[in-house]
Amino acid sequence: MAPSTESESRKLLGRLRDTMAEDAAGQARLDKITHLTADSMGSEVCSIYLFRDPVTLELCASQGLNAEAVHQTRMKLGEGLVGRVAKSGKLVNTANAPAERGFRYMPETGEEIYSSFLGIPIQRLGEKLGVLVVQSKEAREFSEDEVYALEVVAMVLAEMAELGAFVGEGAALKKRHTQAVLFRGATGQEGTAMGQAWLHEPRVVVTNLVTDDPETERKRLQDAVDQLRVSVDELVAGASGDQDQVDVLEAYRMFANSKGWLKRMEEDIDLGLSAEAAVEKEQSQARARMAQVTDGYLRERLHDLDDLSNRLLRILTGQGKETGAQMPDNPILIARNIGPGELLEYGRSLKGVVLEEGSVGSHAAIVARALAIPLVIHAERVTNEALNGDLVLVDGDQGIVHLRPDDTVVSAFRDKMAMQAKAMERYSVLRDKPCITADNRHVHLHMNAGLMADLPSLESSGAEGVGLFRTELQFLVRNQMPRRMELASLYARVLDAAQDKRVVFRTLDIGSDKVLPYMKPQEEPNPALGWRAIRVALDRPGVMRMQLQALFRAANGRPLSIMFPFIAQYEEYARARAEVDTVMAREKRLGHAVPSKLEIGCMLETPSLAFASDRFFREVEFLSIGGNDLKQFFFAADRENERVRRRYDSLNTSFLTFLENIVKRCEATGTALSFCGEDAGRPVEALCLAAIGIRTLSMRPASIGPVKALLMRYSLTEVRDVIEEAKLRGEQSVRQAVMEYLRDSS
């Protein structure tokens, strides 16, 4: 008979708690749990399957199946009904298992006499650990009460596994968080680092899973929820001056006040779970749903629910972010995601950052580049696997993270870091030398920046100036719009730090994946092609005027260079330029000093701008090719999509021909031209860009040394000939031809 009453469920959970408390081996605990569960459920069979590796399940304990099958029966993810449950994360409940889609008969188990099958995923916070199964001879579907009871048992099993209750011999019973793990993510910021894991949000450990006093647990839960709601109300009140931010937080508050959310957790407590265990059960199910949702809005709402669950668990357990643990000397920050302000608070103390989410153009990536910290994004499940203090190797060049690596991997990684350090020493001797090629061409190397913390690199890297200062970071790290005088003070300090070197300030580039915390997110099907950058500025001109005023006052009579992002046609440039003229006239009327020299330029990030009228090229004072965006639009390949972005080579002859046409138009109209983006900081790509006529390159500071070293060794005329010959041969990319030339010339 199934545990259809609260008292029966509590009895079963009480027995499970006692089993966990016993001084017994992991296998003995598993065996006892299958016996207790089968007896309580009134079923002939109860089995526990656990993952022995990411794609293989192993029968680890069973009451009712042949004992010889334990640790011998294995199946791949998706194989049979058990594999189907594991792969989908959804239960299977059937009266006739052999007739079900995907059924696979395992003769060694002796299960042919059982018709009914109920399989429940064992998962914790979205991480799949195994499958819990009950079977019976009677052909029937298990009731809702029975399904619910088994879900609670599966949840307790997941928590017990996390606490190490089932450690034993064999891969399926290995201790968690001890094995070496390799994560293949994506590059957010290049570089390598070795250090110890430091979790941005330490894992909450739930040790009291079961209760004998549901009334007390209900009250604890209600008190914690009340405290949570007060804190959310305070967040909303703190945003009262900005309606967009209020709208975002109101959705957050709606979840905190959800009666259904609270009711489900109270039902779990009535079945015998503690308040903490009930919250985590709900959180695990929300994360499982999150993994199957493709709609961006719904995923964001499930993230809200997940965050609320974390807050609630910290209130119940008293385990705040400050756990008392000491940050290691060489911390590698591990997080699901992180905002720019939080990352800046850690600052340069971090040796590297590893994120489960993020994007190459995200706020965190921009800050990581500014701080020269290696960053790997899309490292799935790293927060579930890592523990504070674990050894971590971050290879930002390859987008790879080694967690708890073996000695062979550590040794090879140390060799790579030593070689990089030696190369940087060689580059330092070139710091104060101009970048003059073998055929006596001067290539100007500038650096990208976005924070005051970047400016010391202007001298140490040997950069001739700042080719791109990203002004959006000062907007992204605040919870409200910065004031004009705050921005003016910051921009003035940037100009002071640069001394007489040129700084190009790019006006606010927001939208797409750069959403201000106090700005209502725009749900767009393709944000990269949507309402962003100059489009936002022209539709909301008040912000642009305020920023332009701040830049004028920061210059205080000094030369000033301003660049507009994402211009797609002449009319957008003309409107933006008119705003500059309006601000200039107003500053003069107010008696403020105006720049001694004012340069207005544009980022060329859209193919359309390359075909603008000659009038545009004559009027604009300089152009900077925004290589990252331009390349994704040229090839119609989203740079955030790993499946397509690596298919297209920057040295593709079509792309180089397109760039050459831009060079020719700028030469004909006397328009200054530069290239800004990841490719400018890659030595071979930089050499080719310079060879086709782009003689000003802007990159991250750490790339200037390697780029300068290569450029100074070769003749741009000879490289240009190699490129032209490859084109004449009809080659798709000039990369191979250029690499052969470099090898033969070395």
Side-chain angles (χ1 to χ4, degrees):
M1 182 181 71
S4 56
T5 67
E6 295 173 10
S7 59
E8 286 295 320
S9 296
R10 286 202 296 275
K11 285 179 184 177
L12 173 57
L13 288 176
R15 291 172 187 149
L16 293 178
R17 177 188 58 196
D18 294 341
T19 298
M20 189 167 65
E22 291 175 0
D23 185 13
Q27 186 64 56
R29 285 188 173 126
L30 283 172
D31 293 339
K32 190 163 185 180
I33 288 170
T34 57
H35 175 78
L36 288 172
T37 305
D39 182 56
S40 178
M41 296 287 293
S43 61
E44 288 95 344
V45 174
C46 176
S47 305
I48 297 173
Y49 297 81
L50 299 175
F51 280 103
R52 61 177 285 113
D53 61 49
V55 295
T56 309
L57 288 153
E58 181 177 304
L59 176 62
C60 289
S62 182
Q63 170 69 28
L65 298 184
N66 292 339
E68 296 79 14
V70 174
H71 295 301
Q72 300 303 313
T73 296
R74 293 171 188 170
M75 61 197 69
K76 293 296 182 183
L77 193 65
E79 182 181 10
L81 296 186
V82 172
R84 181 171 136 195
V85 173
K87 184 175 182 179
S88 68
K90 298 177 181 178
L91 65 87
V92 171
N93 183 8
T94 178
N96 186 1
E100 277 290 313
R101 172 179 58 85
F103 174 80
R104 184 187 170 196
Y105 172 53
M106 301 286 191
E108 72 275 12
T109 64
E111 64 182 339
E112 66 274 10
I113 61 175
Y114 304 109
S115 181
S116 300
F117 175 98
L118 173 58
I120 301 287
I122 302 171
Q123 52 193 0
R124 181 180 186 274
L125 301 182
E127 182 182 12
K128 297 169 182 176
L129 305 177
V131 179
L132 175 62
V133 175
V134 292
Q135 297 170 270
S136 65
K137 295 177 182 177
E138 180 187 355
R140 69 180 184 89
E141 284 195 6
F142 290 87
S143 69
E144 287 186 13
D145 284 346
E146 290 171 310
V147 170
Y148 197 81
L150 204 64
E151 284 179 338
V152 173
V153 174
M155 182 267 172
V156 174
L157 277 171
E159 289 301 322
M160 292 171 72
E162 177 68 16
L163 294 170
F166 307 129
V167 175
E169 295 183 7
L173 299 184
K174 63 182 179 292
K175 188 175 181 181
R176 290 174 57 73
H177 310 298
T178 58
Q179 305 297 309
V181 187
L182 172 66
F183 297 93
R184 295 190 181 277
T187 298
Q189 159 68 6
E190 296 162 341
T192 55
M194 177 187 297
Q196 287 75 46
W198 181 253
L199 291 167
H200 178 56
E201 290 191 338
R203 185 181 293 105
V204 175
V205 180
V206 177
T207 54
N208 59 320
L209 303 172
V210 181
T211 182
D212 293 321
D213 187 357
E215 287 303 316
T216 298
E217 293 302 299
R218 270 174 164 262
K219 186 174 187 310
R220 287 184 64 233
L221 177 65
Q222 185 62 65
D223 290 345
V225 168
D226 288 344
Q227 187 175 335
L228 175 69
R229 288 171 177 168
V230 169
S231 68
V232 173
D233 287 342
E234 290 173 349
L235 282 176
V236 175
S240 58
D242 190 305
Q243 189 56 45
D244 285 344
Q245 190 180 5
V246 170
D247 290 343
V248 172
L249 289 171
E250 282 291 359
Y252 196 62
R253 178 156 63 180
M254 179 185 71
F255 276 112
N257 288 280
S258 168
K259 292 180 180 178
W261 185 47
L262 180 60
K263 182 182 178 183
R264 289 192 298 273
M265 292 186 289
E266 288 176 337
E267 288 172 349
D268 292 330
I269 289 173
D270 290 339
L271 284 171
L273 290 182
S274 68
E276 292 92 329
V279 174
E280 195 158 280
K281 178 173 177 289
E282 271 299 302
Q283 187 179 20
S284 290
Q285 291 179 343
R287 282 204 181 175
R289 292 195 298 273
M290 194 187 304
Q292 297 163 15
V293 169
T294 56
D295 181 83
Y297 178 80
L298 290 177
R299 280 184 64 84
E300 204 56 43
R301 300 291 71 79
L302 287 169
H303 272 308
D304 290 344
L305 190 56
D306 189 56
D307 185 53
L308 284 169
S309 298
N310 275 332
R311 287 170 178 257
L312 193 54
L313 280 172
R314 294 189 189 284
I315 292 170
L316 283 164
T317 62
Q319 298 174 33
K321 289 188 179 182
E322 296 299 326
T323 61
Q326 186 72 31
M327 183 184 283
D329 292 334
N330 298 304
I332 304 290
L333 187 70
I334 308 286
R336 193 178 74 195
N337 214 337
I338 190 169
E342 293 171 304
L343 189 51
L344 280 170
E345 285 180 13
Y346 285 105
R348 295 184 187 273
S349 64
L350 299 176
K351 298 301 179 184
V353 180
V354 181
L355 301 179
E356 287 192 359
E357 300 174 5
S359 65
V360 294
S362 67
H363 319 152
I366 293 169
V367 173
R369 290 183 200 121
L371 298 176
I373 300 171
L375 166 66
V376 171
I377 57 177
H378 304 161
E380 295 182 7
R381 293 182 52 255
V382 69
T383 58
N384 285 342
E385 189 61 51
L387 295 177
N388 276 344
D390 282 342
L391 179 62
V392 185
L393 311 180
V394 180
D395 188 338
D397 303 328
Q398 303 295 321
I400 289 174
V401 177
H402 298 273
L403 180 65
R404 299 183 290 266
D406 61 33
D407 292 343
T408 305
V409 174
V410 173
S411 178
F413 199 81
R414 280 202 175 105
D415 289 344
K416 179 177 181 176
M417 291 181 69
M419 289 176 63
Q420 290 178 335
K422 194 171 182 180
M424 292 308 293
E425 287 179 17
R426 291 201 306 271
Y427 301 143
S428 65
V429 303
L430 303 175
R431 184 185 64 190
D432 298 323
K433 295 181 180 179
C435 182
I436 307 295
T437 64
D439 55 343
N440 205 35
R441 307 293 179 87
H442 189 173
V443 181
H444 302 275
L445 304 182
H446 293 218
M447 60 171 268
N448 300 331
L451 298 166
M452 279 301 299
D454 290 318
L455 272 299
S457 298
L458 190 54
E459 182 177 351
S460 62
S461 68
E464 296 179 43
V466 178
L468 167 65
F469 190 90
R470 304 180 183 92
T471 62
E472 59 270 12
L473 284 179
Q474 286 69 47
F475 290 78
L476 291 167
V477 299
R478 289 172 165 82
N479 291 321
Q480 58 186 13
M481 183 76 71
R483 297 179 183 276
R484 181 179 57 202
M485 293 314 297
E486 289 178 314
L487 293 178
S489 175
L490 171 74
Y491 300 153
R493 293 202 306 275
V494 170
L495 291 169
D496 291 343
Q499 297 179 8
D500 294 329
K501 292 183 178 179
R502 180 172 180 251
V503 179
V504 178
F505 291 94
R506 184 179 68 187
T507 59
L508 190 58
D509 185 4
I510 57 170
S512 187
D513 54 2
K514 291 181 287 215
V515 180
L516 301 182
Y518 40 87
M519 176 181 173
K520 185 177 182 180
Q522 301 296 312
E523 297 300 329
E524 297 179 297
N526 193 340
L529 296 175
W531 196 58
R532 54 174 290 201
I534 198 65
R535 297 168 181 176
V536 177
L538 293 176
D539 288 350
R540 301 284 188 273
V543 176
M544 181 164 66
R545 289 170 192 158
M546 182 269 286
Q547 187 179 25
L548 291 172
Q549 289 168 0
L551 286 166
F552 272 61
R553 294 180 188 184
N556 194 27
R558 290 177 285 189
L560 180 63
S561 298
I562 298 173
M563 180 165 62
F564 298 119
F566 209 62
I567 297 289
Q569 59 185 6
Y570 170 76
E571 183 263 349
E572 290 172 335
Y573 162 75
R575 287 179 60 193
R577 180 67 195 243
E579 292 292 346
V580 176
D581 293 340
T582 299
V583 170
M584 171 83 88
R586 184 175 184 274
E587 291 298 291
K588 286 180 178 177
R589 286 198 307 271
L590 293 173
H592 295 148
V594 295
S596 57
K597 179 184 178 183
L598 180 62
E599 292 181 300
I600 303 297
C602 297
M603 293 287 285
L604 196 159
E605 300 166 277
T606 62
S608 64
L609 196 62
F611 299 96
S613 65
D614 286 342
R615 178 185 178 186
F616 166 73
F617 279 85
R618 285 194 299 269
E619 286 188 16
V620 73
E621 279 139 324
F622 66 91
L623 285 173
S624 179
I625 296 172
N628 298 341
D629 263 335
L630 183 63
K631 193 165 75 172
Q632 77 166 339
F633 299 140
F634 184 85
F635 290 112
D638 183 358
R639 66 189 177 112
E640 303 291 351
N641 187 333
E642 291 297 311
R643 297 178 68 179
V644 299
R645 80 182 185 99
R646 294 186 185 276
R647 291 189 180 192
Y648 302 99
D649 190 352
S650 303
L651 301 186
N652 179 289
T653 52
S654 298
F655 188 57
L656 287 181
T657 301
F658 178 67
L659 295 180
E660 284 181 296
N661 289 333
I662 297 172
V663 172
K664 290 173 183 175
R665 296 204 68 185
C666 288
E667 288 175 346
T669 56
T671 308
L673 179 66
S674 64
F675 188 101
C676 174
E678 293 173 6
D679 289 324
R682 294 177 176 139
V684 174
E685 282 84 341
L687 180 64
C688 292
L689 292 171
I692 66 171
I694 304 175
R695 301 296 162 76
T696 301
L697 306 173
S698 190
M699 65 203 73
R700 67 189 183 104
S703 297
I704 290 176
V707 167
K708 184 185 287 188
L710 189 72
L711 285 171
M712 292 175 72
R713 290 176 57 193
Y714 294 98
S715 162
L716 297 186
T717 304
E718 290 181 11
V719 176
R720 178 63 180 261
D721 290 342
V722 171
I723 291 172
E724 290 304 314
E725 288 168 7
K727 285 183 180 180
L728 289 172
R729 290 194 299 269
E731 294 181 11
Q732 179 172 287
S733 170
V734 305
R735 185 175 297 278
Q736 183 176 345
V738 171
M739 293 303 294
E740 287 174 359
Y741 163 78
L742 296 179
R743 282 194 296 269
D744 294 343
S745 303
S746 60

